[in-house]
Amino acid sequence: MSAKAWAAAGVCLALLGGFAAWFLVGRDTDPTCNGLADDTRVQKSVGHSVHPGMSCAALGEAIIKATAGSQPGHHTKEQAQAMKDVVFALSWAQSQKIELDPALRVPLATALADYAPDVHEMLAGLDSTYVTKAGRDTPPWEAGGTHHLSVPADAFRKTLRAMAEDPQAYALLRMAETRTAAGQLAAVPVDATGSELSLQPTKNARALGILDGIADPATSQNADQARKWHAAVFDRLLTAQADQADPAGRLTATWLQELKNTPEQQRAERLHTQGVDMARTWAQARTMDEPTRQELLTKVENSARNAREEVKH
């Protein structure tokens, strides 16, 4: 072989060796589980069981255990802080999109669903307390016999969008919001008028509209993948149960039945009208006069549409 041939071969081997080294090192240094197990705040708040190298499934179980209260929806300061630290650790990177490890999507959605009232307020973004207490170093606060948490809207939406890639995770969050929205409607005083009457239904529509927009990336794939995603979401939603012994449970059950009665190919669009559908059922139960009902439903529809568009930008 000539000197030139030997030189060319040497260059090729060097390039191949460099590429192999980059590939192997790149794989070794790429943070597993989105770096959560390596984050010192997460290690401290979630617990000593969190350590580098653990499986993402085990990390998901540890997060659920550390953030769940002894009763659903009731949390200590430490539990709420752990949930806040996890969300911040995921969203702290400058990237606009989180590629969440698939093994973490359902566990994180399960953990967040236990904070449904906080999720509702962060989705709607209308409560000033949740805005002023969203900073990373602002601790959870106590109100109504439990501790609450908040994170900035951009960080929260980015995290939810990553979870929504898994239809089971999205269905968990959607059902939690449905129950919360029904409870908010049922709590409106019977003699409410004006803004007191319209606040909760329009706020619900805004929160649900944000969830609609968050799901858009997961359903903007090819048509077959979108159909499979929606089918999995509806399979989960339509197996949910609602206690019809109270007004909130009846609202939830009515909406679920309406969704079930909707032809399968129309359910995706029907999901986008959830805020209006629940408000309509609620208005009928209150025997609201027709002009008031129509004015209210127009506001609710606008709220949902504007929220969904907002998330796209």
Side-chain angles (χ1 to χ4, degrees), residues 181-182 185 197 200-202 204-205 208 250-251 254-255 258-259 262 269-270 272-290 292-302:
L185 290 176
L197 180 70
Q200 292 306 334
T202 54
N204 287 348
L208 291 164
R250 288 192 291 275
L251 276 171
T254 299
W255 178 73
E258 289 175 350
L259 185 64
T262 301
E269 282 303 313
R270 187 63 185 266
H272 296 160
T273 68
Q274 182 179 359
V276 176
D277 290 341
M278 293 183 72
R280 182 183 293 112
T281 300
W282 173 70
Q284 290 171 347
R286 292 170 68 98
T287 60
M288 199 176 290
D289 66 79
E290 187 62 16
T292 302
R293 187 174 74 92
Q294 287 300 334
E295 181 182 5
L296 174 68
L297 293 181
T298 298
K299 291 180 179 179
V300 170
E301 185 176 6
N302 289 338

Side-chain angles (χ1 to χ4, degrees), residues 4-298:
K4 287 185 177 181
W6 278 111
V11 170
C12 290
L13 287 172
L15 288 173
L16 287 171
F19 176 77
W22 171 85
F23 183 71
L24 291 173
V25 171
R27 291 184 66 183
D28 289 342
T29 57
D30 187 36
T32 58
C33 306
N34 296 87
L36 288 179
D38 301 285
D39 188 280
T40 54
R41 284 201 183 208
V42 172
Q43 291 172 356
K44 181 180 178 181
S45 60
V46 174
H48 65 274
S49 62
V50 176
H51 57 83
M54 71 187 304
S55 73
C56 297
L59 176 59
E61 292 176 4
I63 290 171
I64 292 174
K65 183 177 180 180
T67 59
S70 56
Q71 301 177 38
H74 288 75
H75 307 99
T76 65
K77 183 177 181 179
E78 292 74 21
Q79 289 164 344
Q81 184 65 57
M83 189 77 258
K84 180 166 183 166
D85 286 342
V86 167
V87 174
F88 259 107
L90 280 173
S91 61
W92 198 245
Q94 294 300 310
S95 173
Q96 291 301 304
K97 184 178 181 182
I98 303 171
E99 296 290 349
L100 187 58
D101 189 287
L104 289 174
R105 292 169 183 164
V106 170
L108 288 177
T110 301
L112 265 180
D114 200 44
Y115 292 80
D118 296 329
V119 171
H120 175 75
E121 295 299 341
M122 287 187 283
L123 285 170
L126 301 179
D127 189 320
S128 61
T129 300
Y130 282 81
V131 176
T132 59
K133 294 183 180 292
R136 190 176 196 186
D137 296 319
T138 304
W141 69 99
E142 186 174 10
T146 188
H147 282 82
H148 302 272
L149 69 98
S150 181
V151 298
D154 287 348
F156 188 60
R157 293 174 185 181
K158 187 163 61 171
T159 303
L160 291 187
R161 193 174 284 114
M163 294 179 200
E165 293 290 331
D166 188 312
Q168 301 297 326
Y170 183 78
L172 276 169
L173 295 168
R174 188 87 190 197
M175 198 63 226
E177 175 56 30
T178 297
R179 297 185 193 280
T180 302
Q184 295 291 338
L185 290 176
V188 176
V190 294
D191 58 348
T193 58
S195 60
E196 187 181 17
L197 180 70
S198 63
L199 175 60
Q200 292 306 334
T202 54
K203 191 174 181 180
N204 287 348
R206 176 170 169 75
L208 291 164
I210 295 291
L211 279 180
D212 288 336
I214 282 169
D216 282 346
T219 58
S220 60
Q221 311 158 34
N222 65 61
D224 185 55
Q225 289 176 318
R227 278 194 297 270
K228 289 179 179 178
W229 187 92
H230 276 118
V233 169
F234 296 131
D235 283 348
R236 184 63 180 260
L237 289 177
L238 296 178
T239 59
Q241 301 294 319
D243 183 2
Q244 299 189 50
D246 60 84
R250 288 192 291 275
L251 276 171
T252 300
T254 299
W255 178 73
L256 288 171
Q257 188 60 49
E258 289 175 350
L259 185 64
K260 185 175 183 179
N261 293 342
T262 301
E264 188 173 346
Q265 64 273 22
Q266 298 174 19
R267 284 177 183 164
E269 282 303 313
R270 187 63 185 266
L271 199 63
H272 296 160
T273 68
Q274 182 179 359
V276 176
D277 290 341
M278 293 183 72
R280 182 183 293 112
T281 300
W282 173 70
Q284 290 171 347
R286 292 170 68 98
T287 60
M288 199 176 290
D289 66 79
E290 187 62 16
T292 302
R293 187 174 74 92
Q294 287 300 334
E295 181 182 5
L296 174 68
L297 293 181
T298 298

